[in-house]
Amino acid sequence: MELTYERRGTGPPLVLLHGIGHHWQAWLPVMDLLAERHDVIAVDFPGFGASPPFAPDTPYNAETVAFAIEEFWEGLGISQPHVAGNSLGGYVALDMASRGVVRTAVALSPAGFWSRTELLYARMALRALRRAASRTSEGTAAALMSSALGRAASLGLLVADPSRIPDEEILLGTEALRNAAGFDEMLNSFAWLAPPAPPKAPITIAWGDHDRLLPRRQAVRAGRWAQQRVKLLAGCGHVPMSDDPALVARIILETTGG
C-alpha cells in the first residue's frame, strides 16, 4: 500500500507507530530529537491519518496493520528496523518483536494488557472521543481550545497537561480522529487482542504514570509478560510524546543504542 509518512534524519532506520484514531503527527514532538541519531520514519496506518483504507475484504486488526507496515518498509528498501509505538502502535511494535522482524521495539502504554473491565472502559472512552470529534466543527473545536476546561474535556484522557499542546496539533488530531476510516472496526477487534508471543528482539515498555485511558496498573501485567521492569514516565499521560518529548526520546534512544 502507498502509505503516508514523514521521514527525517540519518542513521539506522526507526519506524514510529501511532495509536488508534491518531496519525503520524503524534510523533512530531520527538521526531527531530530522534532524527539526530536515526533515519526516522513516522507512518500513518491504513485507514488512519492520510493513508488510504484497506480493501473491503481486508479486516482492520493489529495483525493486518503490522503486515501492511512491514510491506511498507520493505518497499523503502528497509529490513529489520528499530520500531517504537504508542497504544495500538505499542502493541504492534511488541508483536513485531515477538516475530523477530525488528532490531528493537519500544512500546509506550501498549494496548492488550487490560482486564475485561478495563477493556470495556477503554472502548467506551474511545468511542466517546470519536463521537465528540465527529460532532465538533472546526470553529467549535477552536472555541473549546480557548478554555482550560475545554482542553481538559477534550484531551484529559490522552495527556497529563492539556495546556502544553499547541492549538494546531489539537485541531489536526481531532480531524484525524473524525476521519479515521478504520476506527470502528479496529476498536471492535480489541475484544480479541491478547498479549503477543514472547519477544525475540530487545524491547522496552514504558507507561505514563498519569495515563487515564490505559491506567498504569496495566504496566504490572505488561512487566510480567515481558519478564522485566516497566519504566514509568513521570508526569506523562497516555500519549507521552506530547507531555515530555525529551524523556520519551531518551527512552527510545537507550533501547536502540542510538
Side-chain angles (χ1 to χ4, degrees):
M1 297 184 67
E2 294 290 332
L3 301 182
T4 299
Y5 66 97
E6 174 74 3
R7 191 170 190 175
R8 301 181 186 180
T10 57
L14 168 62
V15 178
L16 303 178
L17 310 172
H18 61 75
I20 185 171
H22 226 323
H23 52 175
W24 73 258
Q25 288 91 334
W27 293 96
L28 270 174
V30 300
M31 280 196 73
D32 287 339
L33 295 172
L34 298 172
E36 295 175 4
R37 307 285 184 87
H38 286 282
D39 173 12
V40 181
I41 303 153
V43 58
D44 282 340
F45 288 156
F48 294 89
S51 286
F54 279 131
D57 59 345
T58 301
Y60 283 92
N61 55 50
E63 182 180 24
T64 56
V65 163
F67 286 129
I69 298 300
E70 290 167 44
E71 289 181 358
F72 158 76
W73 74 51
E74 288 170 2
L76 296 179
I78 293 172
S79 176
Q80 292 272 317
H82 301 279
V83 295
N86 173 224
S87 196
L88 169 62
Y91 180 93
V92 172
L94 293 177
D95 174 70
M96 290 170 168
S98 78
R99 292 184 287 107
V101 299
V102 296
R103 292 179 64 182
T104 67
V106 176
L108 307 172
S109 291
F113 295 98
W114 40 51
S115 68
R116 186 173 300 179
T117 302
E118 290 163 349
L119 170 58
L120 178 62
Y121 161 75
R123 291 176 68 184
M124 290 176 60
L126 287 166
R127 283 199 181 97
L129 289 175
R130 162 84 157 184
R131 187 164 53 249
S134 299
R135 295 175 178 175
T136 302
S137 67
E138 185 172 338
T140 302
L144 284 172
M145 295 311 102
S146 66
S147 73
L149 185 60
R151 281 176 170 266
S154 302
L155 299 173
L157 277 174
L158 302 178
V159 297
D161 186 356
S163 67
R164 298 177 182 174
I165 314 303
D167 288 356
E168 183 179 5
E169 184 177 327
I170 297 171
L171 294 174
L172 289 174
T174 301
E175 181 181 2
L177 180 56
R178 179 190 305 123
N179 297 327
F183 182 90
D184 293 327
E185 189 175 348
M186 181 65 79
L187 187 61
N188 288 337
S189 78
F190 284 4
W192 297 277
L193 202 63
K200 298 177 182 177
I203 66 167
T204 296
I205 300 176
W207 222 284
D209 67 352
H210 285 68
D211 193 329
R212 300 181 184 98
L213 182 63
L214 302 182
R216 73 179 195 180
R217 59 180 171 271
Q218 297 180 29
V220 176
R221 299 184 199 112
R224 292 191 190 118
W225 170 82
Q227 297 186 341
Q228 63 180 239
R229 291 179 63 87
V230 173
K231 298 178 183 292
L232 283 182
L233 305 176
C236 292
H238 183 65
V239 185
M241 304 86 77
S242 293
D243 281 314
D244 196 334
L247 175 59
V248 169
R250 185 167 72 249
I251 292 291
I252 294 173
L253 293 174
E254 286 174 353
T255 304
T256 65

